[in-house]
Amino acid sequence: MKKSITDAQRKYFYFNTLKALAWAAIVCTVALAIFIMVESWLPGGESSKQSDAVSNTLLSVSGKTESSADYTSILSAFGINTSAKASYKLFMRKLVGHYLLFAVLGVGLGVSFYLISKHRYLFGVYALAVGVVIAVISEVLQLPVFTTGRVFTLEDIGIDILGVLSGLIFAGACILLVTAALKHGNKRYYPLYKQALDGLCSKTLVSRVGKVTAAYCDEYGR
């Protein structure tokens, strides 16, 4: 006869699953933040080579030519003026190297802070604050005192913050959808998931596994 899973065991499974997800989100987000800092620190010549390689790859995939890809109007909306010929590579540099990179960072920050924040309703505020700090530092690292051939611009910081906001909105929407699916999909087990989520925070995340396991089993039963 198959042994049924108790509510305490199911709750403990939810807790460990959420903990693993939190660690994965944090590690990936920290790795991405470090990557952004390192890329910001690169000299201008090396950074341009990398950007050109990405731009040329995307251009070949799209089937367009550099002369036919005019993004001057989009760039001018952010206060960036350039020629039509140079607009494609500059646009891709801003889109991929700034907006999309920071959008992914925003998703990671949003998920991480949602899972580990004691005041979970403020996760977006925490994530945005950290995202803004990373955006500013990544531009400060481009000052002549830290590297060569790079320029500090407020426009880039604005694009970075816009990316973080977009990522946060996407993460928030996914969290709402997943929560709604869990809540309405299985009303019996949703309270167990919610209690497991409430038991996860930065303190339980960094505590030793054995200690957390014992404390959690004492509270909810084995």
Side-chain angles (χ1 to χ4, degrees), residues 177-188 190-191 193:
L177 287 173
V178 171
T179 302
L182 290 172
K183 187 174 182 179
H184 298 290
N186 198 322
K187 295 183 179 180
R188 177 188 172 186
Y190 176 74
Y193 158 79

Side-chain angles (χ1 to χ4, degrees), residues 12 15-16 19 208-222:
Y12 183 57
F15 176 78
N16 277 337
K19 185 175 182 178
R208 288 185 293 110
V209 175
K211 184 178 179 181
V212 173
T213 300
Y216 197 81
C217 288
D218 288 342
E219 182 177 355
Y220 295 115
R222 297 181 182 275

Side-chain angles (χ1 to χ4, degrees), residues 111-199:
V111 173
S112 298
F113 278 106
Y114 177 77
L115 290 173
I116 68 172
S117 297
K118 183 177 181 181
H119 303 291
R120 197 156 279 113
Y121 58 91
L122 293 175
F123 82 95
V125 176
Y126 299 148
L128 179 59
V130 174
V132 170
V133 170
I134 293 174
V136 172
I137 293 176
S138 68
E139 282 300 305
V140 170
L141 288 174
Q142 297 180 46
L143 290 171
V145 68
F146 296 111
T147 189
T148 58
R150 305 294 292 272
V151 180
F152 173 98
T153 65
L154 293 176
E155 290 84 0
D156 284 350
I157 294 178
I159 295 172
D160 294 343
I161 294 174
L162 183 61
V164 172
L165 279 171
S166 300
L168 279 175
I169 292 172
F170 178 78
C174 289
I175 289 170
L176 287 175
L177 287 173
V178 171
T179 302
L182 290 172
K183 187 174 182 179
H184 298 290
N186 198 322
K187 295 183 179 180
R188 177 188 172 186
Y189 296 131
Y190 176 74
L192 303 179
Y193 158 79
K194 188 67 171 62
Q195 290 173 20
L197 180 62
D198 291 340

Side-chain angles (χ1 to χ4, degrees), residues 57-68:
T57 301
L58 294 174
L59 194 64
S60 62
V61 171
S62 66
K64 294 183 178 180
T65 61
E66 192 171 334
S67 58
S68 65

